[in-house]
Amino acid sequence: MNFLPEKLYNYIVAHSEQEPRLLQQLTRETYQKVLQPIMLSGPYQGRVLSMISKLISPKNILELGTFTGYSTLCLAEGLQKSGEIHTIDINEELVDFQRKYFDKSGFGDQIFQHTGNALDIIPTIDKMFDLVFIDADKPNYSGYFHLVIDKLNSGGVILSDNVLWHGKVVEPLEDRDKSTKAVLDYNTLLKNDDRIETVVLPIRDGLTISRKI
């Protein structure tokens, strides 16, 4: 999912912050025990998420798509001491895996897991957020945006992952390709919504930063 030449990408990684040892362990166990480990954010993107979170210093974070908790822990690094991160995933089989690493991290008391359909869960969380990370099923990206935009504080940021969708966003669209169509529609939505300002970064599979005006 990297669009840069491998040698250049490796240079960038080598001259960026190194991932914490705990995240290396999480990655190793994910590859050993969990299907589709490529869904992990990975060390470079993880450091990007961590840096953005630290720059924002959020009181509350919302994450859509926990998987094994890698990105959750990266985002948690920027939380205020009294802050919270609420992370939602539909796969109940990963809850204990996530919690093991959350509790090892030192952020365990600040991380709140929600299991189920995010479209149903988001309205039940009575919080305003400074940072939202969307990395879940692509067909619902636009729906997630409409649910979270009014829960985002002014100056808050939405991070959206996989917005280049393996480069398919610039290829001819196939009729049955609902995910690519959804990503295209979502990218257009972010570009045209006057409540936010948006920039797309060519990081891994594409990461969009949208700031609420």
Side-chain angles (χ1 to χ4, degrees):
M1 290 191 287
N2 294 316
F3 296 99
L4 292 174
E6 184 176 1
K7 288 179 64 175
L8 184 57
Y9 176 78
N10 290 339
Y11 179 88
I12 291 169
V13 171
H15 289 79
S16 299
E17 287 295 312
Q18 297 297 301
E19 65 177 342
R21 184 176 299 274
L22 180 65
L23 292 181
Q24 294 176 8
Q25 295 170 358
L26 187 158
T27 297
R28 187 178 305 112
E29 188 171 355
T30 297
Y31 271 85
Q32 289 171 345
K33 299 180 179 180
V34 182
L35 294 175
Q36 295 183 301
I38 196 173
M39 291 172 62
L40 284 169
S41 291
Y44 176 63
Q45 183 173 347
R47 292 304 87 202
V48 172
L49 295 177
S50 171
M51 181 66 76
I52 292 172
S53 185
K54 288 172 181 174
L55 290 171
I56 295 170
S57 187
K59 172 73 173 177
N60 293 309
I61 300 173
L62 175 64
E63 179 185 44
L64 309 182
T66 317
F67 193 45
T68 54
Y70 189 102
S71 56
T72 316
L73 292 175
C74 294
L75 295 167
E77 292 176 27
L79 274 174
Q80 297 179 23
K81 289 185 178 180
S82 60
E84 297 178 358
I85 178 166
H86 291 259
T87 183
I88 305 172
D89 200 279
I90 201 167
N91 188 350
E92 61 185 19
E93 295 180 358
L94 292 176
V95 170
D96 292 340
F97 186 110
Q98 300 158 5
R99 178 49 59 183
K100 178 175 71 172
Y101 282 94
F102 293 163
D103 290 342
K104 286 182 177 182
S105 71
F107 300 112
D109 292 342
Q110 296 175 274
I111 301 174
F112 296 84
Q113 296 162 281
H114 304 266
T115 305
N117 188 326
L119 294 173
D120 297 327
I121 294 172
I122 293 169
T124 71
I125 303 176
D126 188 20
K127 297 281 183 182
M128 292 294 292
F129 296 97
D130 305 299
L131 178 59
V132 176
F133 181 44
I134 301 177
D135 185 19
D137 56 310
K138 310 315 165 203
N140 282 319
Y141 262 36
S142 293
Y144 296 145
F145 174 83
H146 290 303
L147 284 177
V148 303
I149 188 63
D150 290 331
K151 288 179 170 287
L152 188 67
N153 288 317
S154 178
V157 168
I158 297 174
L159 301 176
S160 307
D161 200 15
N162 304 115
V163 295
L164 298 181
W165 202 229
H166 317 295
K168 292 182 180 180
V169 291
V170 293
E171 299 297 333
L173 181 63
E174 298 180 5
D175 292 339
R176 297 182 180 180
D177 191 348
K178 294 182 179 180
S179 291
T180 301
K181 176 65 162 58
V183 171
L184 288 167
D185 290 344
Y186 181 70
N187 290 342
T188 300
L189 170 64
L190 295 185
K191 172 64 176 176
N192 294 334
D193 195 302
D194 59 10
R195 293 171 292 182
I196 56 174
E197 51 187 1
T198 290
V199 62
V200 179
L201 303 179
I203 294 173
R204 202 160 180 254
D205 196 28
L207 181 71
T208 293
I209 303 178
S210 302
R211 176 183 176 272
K212 189 172 181 180
I213 299 170

